[in-house]
Amino acid sequence: MKPVFNSMLAICVGICLQISMMPHSQAQTSAAEQISFEKNPETTATYQETMAFYQNLDQNYDQCKLLEYGNTDFGEPLRLLVLSKDKIFDPQAAKASGKLVLLINNGIHPGEPEGIDASMMLARDLLKADLLPKNMVICIIPVYNVGGMNNRGRSRANQNGPEAYGFRGNARNLDLNRDFIKTDSRNSRTFQEIFQTWQPDVFMDTHTSNGADYQYIMTLIDTQRDKLHPELAELAPRITGELYNRMEKSGFPMVPYVSFRGRTPESGIVSFMEGPRYSTGYAALHHTIGYMPETHMLKTYAQRVHSTYALLNHYIQVSSEQAEEIKSARKMALEASRSQKRFTLTYTLDTNRYEEIDFMGFESGSKPSEVSGQPRLFYDRDKPFTRKIRYYNRYKPVLEIEKPQAYVIPQAWHEVISLLQLNGVKVQQLERDTLMELDMYYITDFQTARAPYEGHYNHSQVKLRTERQQVQFYKGDYLVYMDQAANRYVVETLEPQAPDSFFNWNFFDSILSRKEYFSAYVFEDEAAQILRDNPELRAAFEEAKASDEQLRSNAQAQLSWIHSNSDYAEKTHMRYPIGRLP
């Protein structure tokens, strides 16, 4: 496939500019220190080569340390390279000394391996030239999806190289960039351990895009500003703007991730609202500014790696320059979260607010398909253009809730407790059996996906009613008081209407079915007696039949209505088990 840009000259100039700004040029790097990409730009490192490279850095440079954390689904530990000018490799010591912590994640989709190769070269070059910033610690996950990287082949039909690469699914065939809340994989659990241990101030997760054809090599997803605390929402666009400026000067102009409203990008680009199932969305729950670079799949692999190298290098430098502002803004966001009363659960795109941005694309059109004979979309690379398009980058709150004083969680839901604790949520156990007056949700309606998605039949469009009840809890059950920095994680996982709530990921499906039923021929006499003994219930029953044709014409449904409104009814059926302490 031909390289795509305005001209071959522009490509060469861009790459030459990038090589010239590397901390240590490839020409000065011995063959033994080079990665496979530097020897053949159509190749990417294998998992074994990657680990051997990082182990070699660990052995030869005292400003880095290769650490091992918990397991992955592949059976290998998840490894983390820590780069520190002052040789501080302990997270508490790093924070105590005022270091900004930057976390880079690579290989979540190993078929998109630019970040794997770029991080290897950049770590080596910074160490070799002794150019690590003094005021920060850089943490690099060399390969997150270990199983997928070992499943090597050519699975991305629309991608221009490299020759062979890893697979998107992990060892359990999970897309790990959908697993940061449900945590079906060991990888996700270990990542959350790393994240909570190091508490990164800024985060980057490297990717390759799919979709339209255009001139850019690099596109960028930044944390949607309307999700961030106001202090971070004000700061993040300035960091993003600086990244755009420096990438332009390096010969790699960028554009926001090309997700568009219509058939082609000219219809307007929409800012990606990443939910907490995604890595940067998860980071936002913990008030960490996140970026997801997406190189363009149709550019050569060399262009994609060099642009990723440039962006990572600029990201390190900009983060170092603005370290004090970033740390201060994040500290304020974490503190403000303790006293924040209202939280937004769902958003909608604000189509009345947009920016006009320059977009370098290719003219598009239709022509008959050689396969089907039907009209098909194509982009004409001989007709590049630059024109103004709309960038819709603001969202409006749709559903907001007020936090309770505390959530009360029965100890039976141990998976929930485990994930809360993993994410730094402070919980305390009841010391004795306690009858508590709580607001309890009842699920009145919801939709369930007809096909599985990442191992789940997700729920959505959840409707609730709230009932204040006296509920018995027991010694060992859990209280989660809402005066802590992790409030946002708590709200977006425990509130059923949040898009990535534990309820929507099927954690509580056992409450959605009855456990006791009745035999109609036996209950007939009992139901009649119940109506005789309860005139108010009889009146409600007659009113319900009058307003509901299906109930009026269905004898079994009428018995079920009486059963549901009698002392026999299961109070726990459709009742969300987590209470809210008002």
Side-chain angles (χ1 to χ4, degrees):
M1 187 178 293
K2 294 181 179 179
V4 182
F5 204 67
N6 282 339
S7 68
M8 284 300 296
L9 177 61
I11 297 170
C12 294
V13 168
I15 293 178
C16 287
L17 280 170
Q18 172 56 18
I19 292 173
S20 70
M21 58 84 65
M22 288 183 182
H24 187 83
S25 73
Q26 181 179 323
Q28 296 173 281
T29 303
S30 68
E33 294 176 303
Q34 290 180 7
I35 65 172
S36 59
F37 166 78
E38 293 171 292
K39 300 171 184 176
N40 179 357
E42 291 299 318
T43 63
T44 182
T46 66
Y47 178 74
Q48 292 72 25
E49 291 169 342
T50 303
M51 288 303 102
F53 178 88
Y54 279 109
Q55 287 162 359
N56 188 60
L57 290 184
D58 184 40
Q59 293 169 5
N60 292 316
Y61 295 95
D62 60 2
Q63 292 181 338
C64 74
K65 192 173 186 66
L66 188 62
L67 305 176
E68 289 188 1
Y69 283 84
N71 217 336
T72 67
D73 286 343
F74 190 71
E76 283 278 313
L78 196 58
R79 294 180 172 90
L80 182 76
L81 182 78
V82 180
L83 299 164
S84 173
K85 181 87 167 180
D86 295 340
K87 306 170 191 175
I88 298 175
F89 305 113
D90 175 77
Q92 285 74 35
K95 288 289 185 179
S97 62
K99 307 292 186 188
L100 179 118
V101 177
L102 182 151
L103 175 61
I104 298 169
N105 189 42
N106 297 305
I108 195 169
H109 296 152
E112 308 167 20
E114 296 90 325
I116 295 172
D117 290 322
S119 291
M120 292 165 72
M121 293 189 297
L122 184 58
R124 177 201 62 205
D125 293 345
L126 290 170
L127 289 166
K128 196 174 181 67
D130 193 19
L131 287 176
L132 289 172
K134 187 176 177 62
N135 63 345
M136 66 190 300
V137 172
I138 303 166
C139 299
I140 300 173
I141 297 177
V143 179
Y144 179 47
N145 184 353
V146 180
M149 190 172 180
N150 277 279
N151 186 7
R152 202 167 166 91
R154 289 176 56 86
S155 54
R156 289 173 63 82
N158 298 328
Q159 186 167 288
N160 182 12
E163 292 173 350
Y165 41 80
F167 183 63
R168 187 182 189 91
N170 85 329
R172 291 181 58 183
N173 206 36
L174 294 169
D175 185 333
L176 293 180
N177 204 27
R178 310 293 186 270
D179 196 39
F180 287 96
I181 293 298
K182 62 186 177 70
T183 314
D184 288 333
S185 68
R186 290 176 176 173
N187 302 60
S188 178
R189 187 171 289 275
T190 303
F191 176 93
Q192 291 171 63
E193 178 191 349
I194 292 172
F195 195 98
Q196 297 304 323
T197 298
W198 284 92
Q199 285 288 313
D201 301 288
V202 284
F203 172 69
M204 183 171 279
D205 191 0
T206 58
H207 287 253
T208 311
S209 74
N210 290 299
D213 200 358
Y214 41 80
Q215 299 178 49
Y216 299 93
I217 299 171
M218 177 66 75
T219 71
L220 188 65
I221 297 173
D222 53 337
T223 302
Q224 218 300 312
R225 64 180 297 180
D226 295 304
K227 293 173 55 179
L228 290 171
H229 181 272
E231 291 289 340
L232 291 168
E234 181 181 344
L235 174 61
R238 299 205 301 270
I239 298 172
T240 304
E242 193 59 35
L243 291 174
Y244 273 80
N245 291 337
R246 297 189 189 194
M247 285 292 282
E248 179 92 31
K249 292 175 183 176
S250 297
F252 297 107
M254 293 196 301
V255 73
Y257 178 66
V258 185
S259 173
F260 40 92
R261 302 187 72 198
R263 190 165 181 256
T264 60
E266 298 94 292
S267 61
I269 293 176
V270 176
S271 174
F272 184 63
M273 174 59 81
E274 75 280 42
R277 71 185 62 180
Y278 303 103
S279 62
T280 51
Y282 169 83
L285 289 186
H286 298 286
H287 304 288
T288 297
I289 298 172
Y291 290 93
M292 189 174 290
E294 296 264 4
T295 60
H296 190 224
M297 61 184 178
L298 296 179
K299 305 305 184 286
T300 66
Y301 187 59
Q303 289 174 288
R304 289 166 15 223
V305 172
H306 286 306
S307 67
T308 303
Y309 182 109
L311 182 60
L312 290 174
N313 192 36
H314 290 315
Y315 191 51
I316 291 168
Q317 299 306 319
V318 172
S319 297
S320 175
E321 292 164 15
Q322 301 195 32
E324 292 307 313
E325 285 185 273
I326 295 170
K327 289 188 300 177
S328 175
R330 184 164 186 262
K331 181 179 179 181
M332 284 189 284
L334 288 165
E335 285 301 315
S337 185
R338 297 177 184 273
S339 57
Q340 183 178 339
K341 295 186 182 302
R342 296 191 64 80
F343 291 82
T344 301
L345 298 183
T346 60
Y347 301 81
T348 188
L349 182 70
D350 188 345
T351 56
N352 294 318
R353 300 176 70 182
Y354 55 85
E355 299 176 16
E356 295 275 351
I357 64 171
D358 289 325
F359 181 75
M360 299 191 302
F362 296 112
E363 296 289 351
S364 61
S366 293
K367 63 182 179 181
S369 165
E370 292 185 28
V371 177
S372 67
Q374 301 297 313
R376 52 147 291 189
L377 172 68
F378 79 101
Y379 292 89
D380 191 341
R381 297 176 192 170
D382 294 326
K383 295 180 179 178
F385 68 76
T386 300
R387 65 179 62 139
K388 295 285 186 182
I389 66 170
R390 292 180 177 181
Y391 176 41
Y392 298 89
N393 64 344
R394 301 307 300 268
Y395 283 78
K396 299 182 294 186
V398 174
L399 176 62
E400 294 182 303
I401 62 102
E402 188 164 326
K403 73 177 183 182
Q405 179 183 341
Y407 290 97
V408 189
I409 309 174
Q411 59 197 292
W413 304 98
H414 48 83
E415 303 97 329
V416 170
I417 296 298
S418 175
L419 288 174
L420 292 174
Q421 291 175 317
L422 180 62
N423 280 274
V425 178
K426 296 175 183 175
V427 302
Q428 62 186 68
Q429 290 184 277
L430 296 177
E431 296 180 355
R432 62 183 64 86
D433 296 355
T434 308
L435 185 66
M436 308 182 74
E437 185 172 72
L438 303 172
D439 289 333
M440 303 298 296
Y441 288 142
Y442 279 86
I443 312 296
T444 59
D445 195 17
F446 62 98
Q447 300 295 315
T448 301
R450 299 185 58 153
Y453 174 77
E454 293 302 313
H456 292 255
Y457 287 83
N458 298 62
H459 302 313
S460 63
Q461 301 179 50
V462 178
K463 292 183 173 56
L464 307 169
R465 70 174 172 86
T466 305
E467 186 175 312
R468 186 156 294 183
Q469 296 179 347
Q470 295 281 333
V471 184
Q472 182 68 56
F473 284 86
Y474 299 92
K475 179 182 178 181
D477 290 342
Y478 289 85
L479 278 165
V480 180
Y481 282 100
M482 295 301 288
D483 58 352
Q484 50 187 300
N487 276 352
R488 187 169 173 196
Y489 177 87
V490 177
V491 167
E492 293 206 32
T493 56
L494 297 190
E495 286 294 328
Q497 292 175 302
D500 278 326
S501 68
F502 291 144
F503 175 81
N504 280 336
W505 281 112
N506 309 119
F507 280 50
F508 301 103
D509 278 8
S510 58
I511 70 165
L512 301 179
S513 60
R514 286 190 174 96
K515 299 302 177 282
E516 295 284 3
Y517 295 87
F518 59 84
S519 295
Y521 81 96
V522 177
F523 190 62
E524 280 279 0
D525 296 331
E526 182 73 14
Q529 186 63 47
I530 289 171
L531 293 178
R532 285 194 295 272
D533 293 343
N534 296 274
E536 290 183 2
L537 182 62
R538 175 181 284 278
F541 177 56
E542 296 300 333
E543 183 179 343
K545 287 193 296 181
S547 62
D548 187 338
E549 168 61 29
Q550 288 186 337
L551 179 62
R552 188 165 60 247
S553 61
N554 188 321
Q556 181 69 23
Q558 292 179 35
L559 289 176
S560 182
W561 189 98
I562 296 168
H563 181 270
S564 297
N565 287 275
S566 74
D567 291 340
Y568 295 112
E570 295 178 31
K571 284 188 170 60
T572 55
H573 177 228
M574 304 297 284
R575 188 177 75 181
Y576 186 62
I578 297 175
R580 290 167 49 95
L581 183 65

